[in-house]
Amino acid sequence: MSSINTHSHLFYDKISRLYPLIEVFLRPQKRALIHRVNCLLAGNLLEIGVGDGAHLHLYRNHHITGIDTSEGMLKVATERKIKNVLLIRMDGEALLFQQEQFDYIVLSHVIAVVNNPEQLFNEVFRVLKPNGRVFILNHFTPNNWLKYVDHTFAFFSKKLHFKSVLHSHEITSRKKFKLLDEVPLGLASYFKLLILQ
Ligand SMILES: C[S@@+](CC[C@H](N)C(=O)[O-])C[C@H]1O[C@@H](n2cnc3c(N)ncnc32)[C@H](O)[C@@H]1O
């Protein structure tokens, strides 16, 4: 697709078959995300950076659209043959959807990966219905010993197309959204689930 101008999709194309090995470590926190999403009334849910679709089968009720820039990741997701899920190759920073189309938007381990988070949030805000909810699951650099790990890893993480140093206030301070909940997860609260409206 010509509108995709990132290089990370080439990286994710290459690692698409290995990604399940990484995903194993993300799974425990994803359970908290899926639980919160499944408690909501049925709606139109968009997952941006859906990856290999490993957790898509866990969603109940909702009509799911998953987008990703990596053909390789989408191929693995498609092979899972999950019912009632629409998978499309699309850039989260340039969504080809109408405004106010989705009730819920999920960003699972994607905000540290996109080129331009500001642009991603502009697009999320545009396609989200008024009073819709955004679920952000990610690692966030905590104010404990783990911050040294993130800072040490910062240079190397760029080579792996993600940002190791990321603070939750970079997201929660955005005025466009209201923070509904901030759920610490994982060892030393390294992961967080942010729920925004
Ligand atoms: C770390 S993986 C997370 C996959 C999945 N969401 C999960 O939680 O396991 C990040 C995914 O975001 C995708 N991605 C990166 N930039 C993107 C963008 N601008 N728009 C859509 N997807 C993007 C990558 O191709 C990759 O599949």
Side-chain angles (χ1 to χ4, degrees):
M1 188 180 282
S2 57
S3 64
I4 290 176
N5 59 3
T6 76
H7 290 294
S8 78
H9 71 279
L10 299 175
F11 171 76
Y12 278 98
D13 281 352
K14 278 191 206 132
I15 67 155
S16 59
R17 298 284 162 188
L18 295 175
Y19 190 74
L21 300 175
I22 302 166
E23 206 269 337
V24 167
F25 297 99
L26 309 179
R27 222 173 272 172
Q29 300 85 42
K30 283 185 180 184
R31 275 192 217 113
L33 161 74
I34 301 284
H35 173 71
R36 295 296 284 258
V37 172
N38 283 343
C39 288
L40 298 165
L41 291 175
N44 233 355
L45 183 150
L46 171 66
E47 180 151 344
I48 299 177
V50 68
D52 70 350
H55 59 263
L56 287 179
H57 66 287
L58 298 172
Y59 286 125
R60 304 274 170 257
N61 312 325
H62 310 296
H63 178 268
I64 313 285
T65 303
I67 65 143
D68 203 289
T69 44
S70 161
E71 255 177 340
M73 294 293 265
L74 285 173
K75 187 166 187 286
V76 180
T78 306
E79 285 166 6
R80 295 181 191 275
K81 294 194 168 65
I82 303 160
K83 284 186 192 141
N84 305 321
V85 171
L86 176 65
L87 295 169
I88 311 172
R89 185 160 184 245
M90 197 188 290
D91 186 349
E93 294 171 36
L95 293 172
L96 304 174
F97 299 115
Q98 306 281 327
Q99 59 191 41
E100 299 181 5
Q101 207 174 317
F102 295 96
D103 301 284
Y104 314 116
I105 298 185
V106 172
L107 303 167
S108 169
H109 299 288
V110 80
I111 50 162
V113 171
V114 292
N115 275 354
N116 184 345
E118 197 60 48
Q119 180 55 22
L120 177 78
F121 281 109
N122 287 341
E123 284 295 81
V124 165
F125 186 71
R126 185 179 66 78
V127 302
L128 189 67
K129 289 183 185 172
N131 295 323
R133 290 194 190 176
V134 185
F135 294 80
I136 300 174
L137 176 64
N138 221 86
H139 78 271
F140 289 102
T141 305
N143 197 15
N144 59 36
W145 58 274
L146 275 171
K147 70 180 170 200
Y148 301 110
V149 178
D150 274 2
H151 283 279
T152 308
F153 202 56
F155 172 76
F156 190 55
S157 71
K158 273 191 207 154
K159 307 275 168 211
L160 297 174
H161 295 273
F162 80 98
K163 270 200 284 180
S164 62
V165 178
L166 183 70
H167 297 100
S168 56
H169 64 75
E170 291 174 41
I171 289 151
T172 55
S173 61
R174 280 163 206 273
K175 296 201 169 54
K176 278 181 179 173
F177 298 104
K178 183 170 102 189
L179 179 68
L180 295 183
D181 207 352
E182 181 167 342
V183 186
L185 299 165
L187 172 74
S189 302
Y190 187 59
F191 296 95
K192 275 191 181 131
L193 173 63
L194 306 180
I195 305 176
L196 311 173
Q197 188 172 40

